[in-house]
Short mmCIF file of all heavy atoms in Angstrom, two decimals:
data_model
loop_
_atom_site.label_atom_id
_atom_site.label_comp_id
_atom_site.label_asym_id
_atom_site.label_seq_id
_atom_site.Cartn_x
_atom_site.Cartn_y
_atom_site.Cartn_z
N MET A 240 0.84 -1.18 -0.04
CA MET A 240 0.07 -0.04 -0.03
C MET A 240 0.96 1.22 -0.03
O MET A 240 0.94 1.96 -1.03
CB MET A 240 -0.98 -0.04 1.14
CG MET A 240 -1.83 1.16 1.26
SD MET A 240 -3.32 1.04 2.21
CE MET A 240 -2.90 0.75 3.82
N PHE A 241 1.62 1.54 1.13
CA PHE A 241 2.43 2.70 1.12
C PHE A 241 3.91 2.16 0.94
O PHE A 241 4.33 1.24 1.48
CB PHE A 241 2.38 3.28 2.47
CG PHE A 241 1.15 3.93 2.87
CD1 PHE A 241 0.27 3.32 3.73
CD2 PHE A 241 0.66 5.14 2.23
CE1 PHE A 241 -0.90 3.83 4.04
CE2 PHE A 241 -0.46 5.72 2.50
CZ PHE A 241 -1.36 5.00 3.45
N LYS A 242 4.73 2.94 0.09
CA LYS A 242 6.13 2.64 -0.21
C LYS A 242 7.05 3.53 0.58
O LYS A 242 8.18 3.10 0.83
CB LYS A 242 6.41 2.72 -1.71
CG LYS A 242 5.59 1.73 -2.48
CD LYS A 242 5.90 1.89 -3.87
CE LYS A 242 5.07 0.92 -4.84
NZ LYS A 242 5.32 1.07 -6.29
N HIS A 243 6.58 4.67 0.93
CA HIS A 243 7.56 5.62 1.50
C HIS A 243 6.67 6.56 2.45
O HIS A 243 5.70 7.07 2.00
CB HIS A 243 8.17 6.55 0.48
CG HIS A 243 9.48 7.11 0.97
ND1 HIS A 243 10.45 7.42 0.09
CD2 HIS A 243 9.81 7.65 2.11
CE1 HIS A 243 11.45 8.09 0.72
NE2 HIS A 243 11.06 8.20 2.02
N ILE A 244 7.18 6.66 3.72
CA ILE A 244 6.26 7.43 4.67
C ILE A 244 7.26 8.59 5.21
O ILE A 244 8.39 8.42 5.57
CB ILE A 244 5.99 6.52 5.90
CG1 ILE A 244 5.07 5.37 5.37
CG2 ILE A 244 5.29 7.26 6.95
CD1 ILE A 244 4.75 4.38 6.41
N LEU A 245 6.68 9.72 5.14
CA LEU A 245 7.35 11.01 5.73
C LEU A 245 6.86 11.18 7.12
O LEU A 245 5.76 11.21 7.50
CB LEU A 245 6.90 12.25 4.96
CG LEU A 245 7.51 13.48 5.39
CD1 LEU A 245 8.96 13.56 5.34
CD2 LEU A 245 6.89 14.68 4.69
N LEU A 246 7.94 11.31 8.09
CA LEU A 246 7.61 11.43 9.55
C LEU A 246 8.19 12.82 9.95
O LEU A 246 9.37 12.90 10.37
CB LEU A 246 8.21 10.25 10.42
CG LEU A 246 7.66 8.88 10.06
CD1 LEU A 246 8.44 7.87 10.90
CD2 LEU A 246 6.19 8.84 10.27
N PRO A 247 7.39 13.84 9.97
CA PRO A 247 7.83 15.10 10.45
C PRO A 247 7.81 15.17 11.95
O PRO A 247 7.03 14.51 12.66
CB PRO A 247 6.90 16.12 9.85
CG PRO A 247 5.63 15.33 9.71
CD PRO A 247 5.96 13.98 9.54
N THR A 248 8.82 15.99 12.49
CA THR A 248 8.84 16.16 13.96
C THR A 248 9.16 17.64 14.29
O THR A 248 9.79 18.29 13.54
CB THR A 248 9.96 15.28 14.61
OG1 THR A 248 9.88 15.44 15.89
CG2 THR A 248 11.22 15.51 14.01
N ASP A 249 8.70 17.97 15.47
CA ASP A 249 8.99 19.34 15.98
C ASP A 249 9.82 19.22 17.23
O ASP A 249 10.08 20.21 17.90
CB ASP A 249 7.71 20.15 16.19
CG ASP A 249 6.80 19.55 17.25
OD1 ASP A 249 7.19 18.50 17.79
OD2 ASP A 249 5.71 20.07 17.35
N GLY A 250 10.26 18.04 17.57
CA GLY A 250 10.98 17.77 18.76
C GLY A 250 10.33 17.56 20.12
O GLY A 250 10.82 17.33 21.14
N SER A 251 8.86 17.74 19.99
CA SER A 251 8.16 17.39 21.22
C SER A 251 7.88 15.98 21.58
O SER A 251 8.23 15.09 20.79
CB SER A 251 6.67 18.10 20.95
OG SER A 251 6.01 17.33 19.99
N GLU A 252 7.58 15.77 22.68
CA GLU A 252 7.30 14.30 23.25
C GLU A 252 6.25 13.74 22.42
O GLU A 252 6.32 12.53 22.22
CB GLU A 252 6.92 14.37 24.72
CG GLU A 252 8.03 14.74 25.69
CD GLU A 252 7.60 14.62 27.08
OE1 GLU A 252 6.74 13.73 27.43
OE2 GLU A 252 8.15 15.44 27.83
N LEU A 253 5.23 14.43 21.99
CA LEU A 253 4.14 13.90 21.18
C LEU A 253 4.61 13.37 19.89
O LEU A 253 4.31 12.34 19.27
CB LEU A 253 2.99 14.86 21.08
CG LEU A 253 1.73 14.34 20.40
CD1 LEU A 253 1.09 13.08 21.05
CD2 LEU A 253 0.69 15.52 20.22
N SER A 254 5.39 14.25 19.23
CA SER A 254 5.93 13.87 17.90
C SER A 254 6.87 12.66 17.94
O SER A 254 6.96 11.85 17.07
CB SER A 254 6.63 15.03 17.13
OG SER A 254 7.68 15.51 17.82
N ALA A 255 7.68 12.57 19.13
CA ALA A 255 8.61 11.51 19.28
C ALA A 255 7.83 10.08 19.44
O ALA A 255 8.15 9.13 18.78
CB ALA A 255 9.36 11.61 20.63
N ALA A 256 6.64 10.21 20.20
CA ALA A 256 5.81 8.96 20.19
C ALA A 256 5.30 8.71 18.70
O ALA A 256 5.08 7.47 18.43
CB ALA A 256 4.65 9.21 21.20
N ALA A 257 4.85 9.69 18.01
CA ALA A 257 4.29 9.46 16.75
C ALA A 257 5.36 8.90 15.83
O ALA A 257 5.10 7.99 14.93
CB ALA A 257 3.78 10.78 16.12
N ILE A 258 6.65 9.31 15.92
CA ILE A 258 7.73 8.78 15.16
C ILE A 258 7.91 7.25 15.52
O ILE A 258 8.10 6.48 14.52
CB ILE A 258 9.01 9.51 15.39
CG1 ILE A 258 8.94 10.92 14.68
CG2 ILE A 258 10.20 8.78 14.86
CD1 ILE A 258 10.07 11.80 15.04
N LYS A 259 7.83 6.94 16.70
CA LYS A 259 7.91 5.52 17.09
C LYS A 259 6.88 4.66 16.40
O LYS A 259 7.17 3.55 15.84
CB LYS A 259 7.93 5.34 18.67
CG LYS A 259 9.25 5.87 19.30
CD LYS A 259 9.16 5.63 20.79
CE LYS A 259 10.36 6.21 21.43
NZ LYS A 259 10.36 6.12 22.92
N GLU A 260 5.75 5.11 16.48
CA GLU A 260 4.60 4.33 15.89
C GLU A 260 4.65 4.27 14.31
O GLU A 260 4.42 3.35 13.78
CB GLU A 260 3.36 5.00 16.36
CG GLU A 260 2.89 4.64 17.72
CD GLU A 260 2.81 3.25 18.12
OE1 GLU A 260 2.03 2.48 17.23
OE2 GLU A 260 3.43 2.74 18.99
N GLY A 261 5.19 5.51 13.74
CA GLY A 261 5.32 5.55 12.36
C GLY A 261 6.40 4.59 11.82
O GLY A 261 6.23 3.90 10.82
N ILE A 262 7.46 4.50 12.57
CA ILE A 262 8.48 3.48 12.22
C ILE A 262 7.97 1.97 12.39
O ILE A 262 8.26 1.16 11.55
CB ILE A 262 9.81 3.74 13.11
CG1 ILE A 262 10.49 4.91 12.80
CG2 ILE A 262 10.77 2.64 12.97
CD1 ILE A 262 11.61 5.50 13.61
N ARG A 263 7.30 1.83 13.50
CA ARG A 263 6.64 0.46 13.65
C ARG A 263 5.71 0.15 12.55
O ARG A 263 5.88 -0.99 11.94
CB ARG A 263 5.92 0.36 15.06
CG ARG A 263 5.31 -0.96 15.30
CD ARG A 263 4.42 -0.95 16.56
NE ARG A 263 3.29 -0.09 16.23
CZ ARG A 263 2.20 -0.43 15.46
NH1 ARG A 263 2.17 -1.51 14.82
NH2 ARG A 263 1.19 0.40 15.46
N PHE A 264 5.00 1.05 12.12
CA PHE A 264 3.96 0.84 10.95
C PHE A 264 4.74 0.56 9.67
O PHE A 264 4.46 -0.33 8.89
CB PHE A 264 3.14 2.01 10.83
CG PHE A 264 2.09 1.98 9.64
CD1 PHE A 264 1.14 0.99 9.55
CD2 PHE A 264 2.30 2.79 8.65
CE1 PHE A 264 0.37 0.89 8.52
CE2 PHE A 264 1.45 2.78 7.51
CZ PHE A 264 0.47 1.82 7.43
N ALA A 265 5.76 1.44 9.45
CA ALA A 265 6.59 1.32 8.23
C ALA A 265 7.26 -0.12 8.16
O ALA A 265 7.26 -0.75 7.09
CB ALA A 265 7.63 2.43 8.18
N LYS A 266 7.75 -0.63 9.21
CA LYS A 266 8.39 -1.86 9.30
C LYS A 266 7.36 -2.93 9.01
O LYS A 266 7.72 -3.92 8.19
CB LYS A 266 9.01 -2.18 10.55
CG LYS A 266 10.30 -1.52 10.84
CD LYS A 266 10.93 -1.81 12.20
CE LYS A 266 12.35 -1.15 12.53
NZ LYS A 266 12.82 -1.60 13.78
N SER A 267 6.18 -2.86 9.43
CA SER A 267 5.14 -3.84 9.32
C SER A 267 4.66 -3.99 7.84
O SER A 267 4.19 -5.04 7.49
CB SER A 267 3.97 -3.56 10.24
OG SER A 267 3.27 -2.46 9.82
N ILE A 268 4.83 -2.94 7.21
CA ILE A 268 4.38 -2.97 5.69
C ILE A 268 5.60 -2.98 4.70
O ILE A 268 5.35 -2.86 3.57
CB ILE A 268 3.37 -1.80 5.42
CG1 ILE A 268 4.00 -0.43 5.48
CG2 ILE A 268 2.14 -1.92 6.21
CD1 ILE A 268 3.15 0.73 4.96
N GLY A 269 6.79 -2.81 5.26
CA GLY A 269 8.00 -2.83 4.51
C GLY A 269 8.16 -1.45 3.57
O GLY A 269 8.78 -1.52 2.60
N ALA A 270 7.77 -0.41 4.31
CA ALA A 270 8.06 0.87 3.67
C ALA A 270 9.26 1.57 4.08
O ALA A 270 9.77 1.26 5.20
CB ALA A 270 6.75 1.82 3.98
N LYS A 271 9.74 2.44 3.25
CA LYS A 271 10.82 3.32 3.66
C LYS A 271 10.32 4.43 4.45
O LYS A 271 9.22 4.87 4.40
CB LYS A 271 11.52 3.91 2.46
CG LYS A 271 12.19 2.89 1.63
CD LYS A 271 12.94 3.57 0.41
CE LYS A 271 13.61 2.55 -0.50
NZ LYS A 271 14.18 3.22 -1.64
N VAL A 272 11.28 5.06 5.35
CA VAL A 272 10.87 6.12 6.25
C VAL A 272 11.86 7.36 5.88
O VAL A 272 13.00 7.07 5.83
CB VAL A 272 10.94 5.85 7.73
CG1 VAL A 272 10.70 6.96 8.58
CG2 VAL A 272 9.80 4.81 7.97
N THR A 273 11.40 8.55 5.87
CA THR A 273 12.09 9.82 5.85
C THR A 273 11.68 10.63 6.93
O THR A 273 10.52 10.89 7.06
CB THR A 273 11.87 10.53 4.40
OG1 THR A 273 12.40 9.76 3.37
CG2 THR A 273 12.70 11.73 4.41
N GLY A 274 12.70 11.08 7.68
CA GLY A 274 12.38 11.92 8.87
C GLY A 274 12.71 13.36 8.42
O GLY A 274 13.51 13.71 7.66
N LEU A 275 11.77 14.30 9.00
CA LEU A 275 11.92 15.70 8.64
C LEU A 275 11.68 16.56 9.96
O LEU A 275 10.68 16.47 10.57
CB LEU A 275 10.86 16.11 7.68
CG LEU A 275 10.69 17.63 7.34
CD1 LEU A 275 11.97 18.14 6.65
CD2 LEU A 275 9.49 17.93 6.43
N CYS A 276 12.73 17.22 10.34
CA CYS A 276 12.66 18.12 11.55
C CYS A 276 12.16 19.54 11.08
O CYS A 276 12.84 20.14 10.33
CB CYS A 276 13.95 18.20 12.24
SG CYS A 276 13.87 19.17 13.79
N VAL A 277 11.02 19.98 11.73
CA VAL A 277 10.54 21.20 11.22
C VAL A 277 10.53 22.20 12.48
O VAL A 277 10.05 21.79 13.54
CB VAL A 277 9.00 21.03 10.75
CG1 VAL A 277 8.38 22.35 10.50
CG2 VAL A 277 8.97 20.12 9.64
N MET A 278 11.11 23.39 12.25
CA MET A 278 11.15 24.41 13.34
C MET A 278 10.92 25.68 12.83
O MET A 278 11.19 26.05 11.67
CB MET A 278 12.57 24.40 13.98
CG MET A 278 12.94 23.04 14.57
SD MET A 278 14.63 23.02 15.15
CE MET A 278 14.50 24.08 16.58
N PRO A 279 10.32 26.55 13.63
CA PRO A 279 9.93 27.96 13.03
C PRO A 279 11.27 28.72 12.86
O PRO A 279 12.23 28.51 13.60
CB PRO A 279 9.05 28.44 14.10
CG PRO A 279 9.27 27.67 15.41
CD PRO A 279 9.66 26.39 14.92
N LEU A 280 11.29 29.63 11.98
CA LEU A 280 12.37 30.52 11.95
C LEU A 280 12.46 31.51 13.08
O LEU A 280 11.57 32.17 13.48
CB LEU A 280 12.16 31.40 10.52
CG LEU A 280 13.30 32.39 10.29
CD1 LEU A 280 14.68 31.79 9.91
CD2 LEU A 280 12.87 33.19 8.98
N GLN A 281 13.72 31.49 13.71
CA GLN A 281 13.99 32.40 14.79
C GLN A 281 14.65 33.70 14.46
O GLN A 281 15.61 33.59 13.79
CB GLN A 281 14.89 31.63 15.79
CG GLN A 281 14.30 30.33 16.36
CD GLN A 281 13.14 30.56 17.23
OE1 GLN A 281 13.16 31.51 18.00
NE2 GLN A 281 12.19 29.76 17.05
N HIS A 282 13.96 34.75 14.68
CA HIS A 282 14.50 36.15 14.35
C HIS A 282 15.29 36.55 15.68
O HIS A 282 14.74 36.43 16.78
CB HIS A 282 13.40 37.05 13.96
CG HIS A 282 12.75 36.72 12.75
ND1 HIS A 282 13.29 36.97 11.61
CD2 HIS A 282 11.53 36.08 12.47
CE1 HIS A 282 12.49 36.51 10.57
NE2 HIS A 282 11.40 36.00 11.17
N PRO A 283 16.38 37.23 15.45
CA PRO A 283 17.14 37.77 16.66
C PRO A 283 16.33 38.81 17.27
O PRO A 283 15.62 39.61 16.61
CB PRO A 283 18.41 38.23 16.10
CG PRO A 283 18.29 38.28 14.64
CD PRO A 283 17.10 37.32 14.22
N PHE A 284 16.34 38.79 18.58
CA PHE A 284 15.64 39.81 19.35
C PHE A 284 16.60 40.92 19.85
O PHE A 284 17.44 40.49 20.50
CB PHE A 284 14.90 39.26 20.51
CG PHE A 284 14.11 40.23 21.34
CD1 PHE A 284 12.97 40.76 20.95
CD2 PHE A 284 14.53 40.54 22.58
CE1 PHE A 284 12.36 41.67 21.66
CE2 PHE A 284 13.96 41.42 23.42
CZ PHE A 284 12.68 42.05 22.97
N PHE A 285 16.38 42.07 19.42
CA PHE A 285 17.26 43.18 19.85
C PHE A 285 16.46 44.07 20.81
O PHE A 285 15.36 44.49 20.42
CB PHE A 285 17.85 44.01 18.75
CG PHE A 285 18.79 43.21 17.88
CD1 PHE A 285 18.24 42.67 16.73
CD2 PHE A 285 20.03 42.95 18.23
CE1 PHE A 285 19.09 41.90 15.87
CE2 PHE A 285 20.83 42.09 17.49
CZ PHE A 285 20.43 41.65 16.26
N TYR A 286 17.10 44.41 21.98
CA TYR A 286 16.40 45.34 22.86
C TYR A 286 17.28 46.55 23.08
O TYR A 286 18.52 46.36 23.28
CB TYR A 286 16.29 44.60 24.28
CG TYR A 286 15.64 45.48 25.33
CD1 TYR A 286 14.32 45.68 25.27
CD2 TYR A 286 16.42 46.07 26.24
CE1 TYR A 286 13.71 46.45 26.25
CE2 TYR A 286 15.80 46.86 27.27
CZ TYR A 286 14.41 47.03 27.27
OH TYR A 286 13.81 47.76 28.22
N GLU A 287 16.77 47.70 22.91
CA GLU A 287 17.47 48.94 22.98
C GLU A 287 16.85 49.74 24.07
O GLU A 287 15.68 49.79 24.38
CB GLU A 287 17.41 49.76 21.66
CG GLU A 287 18.08 49.07 20.50
CD GLU A 287 18.14 50.01 19.35
OE1 GLU A 287 18.21 51.27 19.53
OE2 GLU A 287 18.13 49.48 18.22
N THR A 288 17.73 50.43 24.80
CA THR A 288 17.29 51.29 25.87
C THR A 288 18.41 52.42 26.05
O THR A 288 19.46 52.26 25.58
CB THR A 288 17.21 50.53 27.23
OG1 THR A 288 16.59 51.42 28.26
CG2 THR A 288 18.57 50.00 27.76
N GLU A 289 17.91 53.51 26.61
CA GLU A 289 18.79 54.59 26.84
C GLU A 289 19.36 54.55 28.35
O GLU A 289 18.64 54.21 29.25
CB GLU A 289 18.05 55.99 26.68
CG GLU A 289 17.62 56.17 25.18
CD GLU A 289 17.06 57.53 25.06
OE1 GLU A 289 17.28 58.41 25.89
OE2 GLU A 289 16.27 57.67 24.13
N ILE A 290 20.66 54.77 28.32
CA ILE A 290 21.29 54.73 29.61
C ILE A 290 21.53 56.08 30.04
O ILE A 290 22.19 56.94 29.38
CB ILE A 290 22.60 54.03 29.59
CG1 ILE A 290 22.44 52.62 29.17
CG2 ILE A 290 23.45 54.03 30.96
CD1 ILE A 290 23.72 51.74 28.94
N PRO A 291 21.00 56.51 31.24
CA PRO A 291 21.31 57.96 31.82
C PRO A 291 22.73 58.18 31.77
O PRO A 291 23.54 57.33 32.20
CB PRO A 291 20.58 57.92 33.10
CG PRO A 291 19.68 56.70 33.09
CD PRO A 291 20.24 55.74 32.15
N MET A 292 23.06 59.44 31.44
CA MET A 292 24.66 59.77 31.33
C MET A 292 25.23 59.66 32.75
O MET A 292 26.43 59.31 32.84
CB MET A 292 24.65 61.22 30.92
CG MET A 292 24.41 61.42 29.42
SD MET A 292 25.27 60.31 28.37
CE MET A 292 27.03 61.01 28.55
N LYS A 293 24.57 59.83 33.83
CA LYS A 293 25.07 59.70 35.17
C LYS A 293 25.64 58.29 35.39
O LYS A 293 26.57 58.07 36.22
CB LYS A 293 24.22 60.16 36.27
CG LYS A 293 23.04 59.25 36.46
CD LYS A 293 22.02 59.77 37.55
CE LYS A 293 20.91 59.00 37.75
NZ LYS A 293 20.03 59.42 38.85
N HIS A 294 25.13 57.24 34.76
CA HIS A 294 25.52 55.84 34.93
C HIS A 294 26.52 55.46 33.81
O HIS A 294 27.26 54.38 33.93
CB HIS A 294 24.39 54.85 34.84
CG HIS A 294 23.37 55.21 35.96
ND1 HIS A 294 23.62 55.04 37.27
CD2 HIS A 294 22.11 55.58 35.85
CE1 HIS A 294 22.57 55.44 37.97
NE2 HIS A 294 21.63 55.66 37.22
N TRP A 295 26.66 56.22 32.77
CA TRP A 295 27.48 55.83 31.62
C TRP A 295 28.91 55.65 31.94
O TRP A 295 29.61 54.68 31.51
CB TRP A 295 27.24 56.78 30.53
CG TRP A 295 28.02 56.41 29.19
CD1 TRP A 295 28.99 57.04 28.65
CD2 TRP A 295 27.69 55.21 28.40
NE1 TRP A 295 29.47 56.38 27.57
CE2 TRP A 295 28.61 55.30 27.30
CE3 TRP A 295 26.70 54.23 28.42
CZ2 TRP A 295 28.69 54.29 26.42
CZ3 TRP A 295 26.79 53.29 27.47
CH2 TRP A 295 27.70 53.26 26.44
N SER A 296 29.50 56.60 32.77
CA SER A 296 30.90 56.63 33.05
C SER A 296 31.18 55.43 33.93
O SER A 296 32.32 54.74 33.81
CB SER A 296 31.35 57.87 33.82
OG SER A 296 30.60 58.03 34.93
N ARG A 297 30.36 55.00 34.84
CA ARG A 297 30.49 53.79 35.65
C ARG A 297 30.53 52.52 34.83
O ARG A 297 31.30 51.70 35.12
CB ARG A 297 29.36 53.71 36.66
CG ARG A 297 29.73 54.17 38.10
CD ARG A 297 28.73 53.77 39.07
NE ARG A 297 27.56 53.13 38.58
CZ ARG A 297 26.36 53.06 39.30
NH1 ARG A 297 26.34 53.67 40.48
NH2 ARG A 297 25.30 52.47 38.69
N LEU A 298 29.70 52.44 33.86
CA LEU A 298 29.64 51.26 33.03
C LEU A 298 30.85 51.25 32.19
O LEU A 298 31.38 50.08 31.99
CB LEU A 298 28.37 51.32 32.10
CG LEU A 298 27.01 51.09 32.86
CD1 LEU A 298 25.92 51.43 31.80
CD2 LEU A 298 26.86 49.82 33.39
N ARG A 299 31.33 52.39 31.67
CA ARG A 299 32.51 52.23 30.79
C ARG A 299 33.70 51.77 31.57
O ARG A 299 34.67 51.26 31.16
CB ARG A 299 32.76 53.60 30.22
CG ARG A 299 31.70 53.83 29.14
CD ARG A 299 32.00 55.10 28.34
NE ARG A 299 33.23 55.02 27.57
CZ ARG A 299 33.87 56.05 27.04
NH1 ARG A 299 33.29 57.23 27.33
NH2 ARG A 299 34.95 55.87 26.38
N SER A 300 33.78 52.23 32.90
CA SER A 300 34.95 51.93 33.78
C SER A 300 34.83 50.50 34.28
O SER A 300 35.85 50.05 34.93
CB SER A 300 35.16 52.99 34.81
OG SER A 300 34.04 52.68 35.78
N GLY A 301 33.75 49.79 34.12
CA GLY A 301 33.58 48.43 34.62
C GLY A 301 33.15 48.44 36.07
O GLY A 301 33.16 47.28 36.70
N ALA A 302 32.73 49.49 36.65
CA ALA A 302 32.29 49.48 38.07
C ALA A 302 31.02 48.68 38.16
O ALA A 302 30.17 48.68 37.23
CB ALA A 302 32.14 50.83 38.57
N ARG A 303 30.80 48.03 39.23
CA ARG A 303 29.63 47.13 39.33
C ARG A 303 28.53 47.93 40.35
O ARG A 303 27.37 47.51 40.35
CB ARG A 303 29.87 45.81 40.00
CG ARG A 303 30.80 45.02 39.14
CD ARG A 303 30.90 43.58 39.52
NE ARG A 303 31.82 42.87 38.76
CZ ARG A 303 31.53 42.16 37.63
NH1 ARG A 303 30.27 42.19 37.24
NH2 ARG A 303 32.53 41.56 37.05
N ASN A 304 28.92 48.88 41.17
CA ASN A 304 27.95 49.56 42.01
C ASN A 304 27.84 51.01 41.71
O ASN A 304 28.70 51.72 41.35
CB ASN A 304 28.36 49.29 43.43
CG ASN A 304 28.04 47.88 43.92
OD1 ASN A 304 27.25 47.30 43.20
ND2 ASN A 304 28.98 47.48 44.77
#
């Protein structure tokens, strides 16, 4: 019936269980398996803030307090 099965995963526990069952099913029918890891595109997050001038010299000198 099926010759090739695609098993996508997102790394979750639920998808791991589905992969195990998918492999078991593929073995039982003699099908090939292809795994595919799918993850959302991660955009870098940049946070900008203004540092009051009275604290700037302390930061530049490496002072902690």
Side-chain angles (χ1 to χ4, degrees):
M240 179 156 66
F241 297 104
K242 295 179 183 178
H243 200 148
I244 299 173
L245 176 64
L246 297 176
T248 180
D249 61 2
S251 67
E252 289 182 34
L253 185 59
S254 66
I258 287 172
K259 288 179 184 178
E260 287 301 310
I262 291 171
R263 184 190 60 75
F264 175 65
K266 283 182 180 180
S267 73
I268 63 170
K271 292 180 181 180
V272 171
T273 297
L275 173 66
C276 181
V277 179
M278 299 176 68
L280 178 62
Q281 299 292 322
H282 294 284
F284 178 74
F285 295 102
Y286 181 77
E287 292 185 34
T288 186
E289 291 185 26
I290 300 173
M292 289 304 293
K293 66 181 182 181
H294 300 296
W295 185 247
S296 61
R297 259 192 356 200
L298 291 171
R299 289 184 67 194
S300 68
R303 296 193 187 267
N304 291 329

